Amino acid sequence: FFFFSSRRRHTRFLPVSWARRCVQETGVKNTVEKIPLFSVNAGPRDPNWIDRLKEEYLALIKYVELNKAEDNDWFKIESNKDGTKWSGKCWYIHNLVRYEFDLQFEVPATYPLTPIELELPELDGKTAKMYR
């Protein structure tokens, strides 16, 4: 027999959840606080898409600047003219070896309600995990 409790056993004794604690420990929260927030809620089909795209570019530029200041840059990316298709490179350094991958994604028509799916085409089909 299984017993289902309404109590939150796994997080009851923790002062914060594990996810929140991970964010605090890794400094992600500090980085996110330095990136400008979006005020325009628009997708590629919306007439306000250009304004949203400008905000996306400003946030991306700030994020890249923060990463470069901390010597932590890990990607280079560019978009097509209307900002719906993006491509570039991302990399990871492990044991002083740099692993570089192609990166691509398309902004879904229902963005920002639908998340963007990042694609690493070189890894597609090589592992049980889907990299897209």
Side-chain angles (χ1 to χ4, degrees):
F1 291 19
F2 292 99
F3 176 71
F4 295 100
S5 171
S6 62
R7 292 185 189 175
R8 295 176 14 206
R9 295 185 311 171
H10 303 290
T11 59
R12 184 173 52 173
F13 299 109
L14 298 175
V16 293
S17 71
W18 67 270
R20 190 177 308 149
R21 195 170 64 236
C22 288
V23 167
Q24 291 171 348
E25 289 174 1
T26 59
V28 172
K29 184 177 180 181
N30 293 335
T31 302
V32 171
E33 288 175 348
K34 295 175 185 174
I35 297 173
L37 297 175
F38 301 133
S39 62
V40 178
N41 187 12
R45 294 183 179 172
D46 197 298
N48 295 330
W49 171 242
I50 298 300
D51 295 330
R52 173 62 184 236
L53 190 58
K54 288 177 186 176
E55 290 182 347
E56 296 273 357
Y57 277 128
L58 290 174
L60 186 60
I61 290 168
K62 184 65 176 176
Y63 181 65
V64 169
E65 287 174 353
L66 292 170
N67 278 338
K68 288 193 182 232
E70 297 175 5
D71 195 28
N72 193 27
D73 56 334
W74 58 275
F75 70 95
K76 288 186 181 181
I77 195 163
E78 59 186 33
S79 73
N80 64 353
K81 185 179 177 183
D82 59 355
T84 56
K85 293 183 182 182
W86 296 72
S87 62
K89 295 278 187 186
C90 65
W91 55 88
Y92 179 76
I93 298 174
H94 179 70
N95 291 336
L96 301 176
V97 178
R98 179 177 164 145
Y99 299 93
E100 190 168 304
F101 305 98
D102 291 329
L103 170 68
Q104 64 188 25
F105 63 89
E106 291 186 28
V107 178
T110 55
Y111 179 79
L113 296 175
T114 305
I116 293 172
E117 292 185 12
L118 301 177
E119 300 173 16
L120 303 174
E122 295 167 318
L123 299 181
D124 194 18
K126 291 191 177 181
T127 68
K129 264 188 177 178
M130 292 299 296
Y131 288 95
R132 115 163 45 190

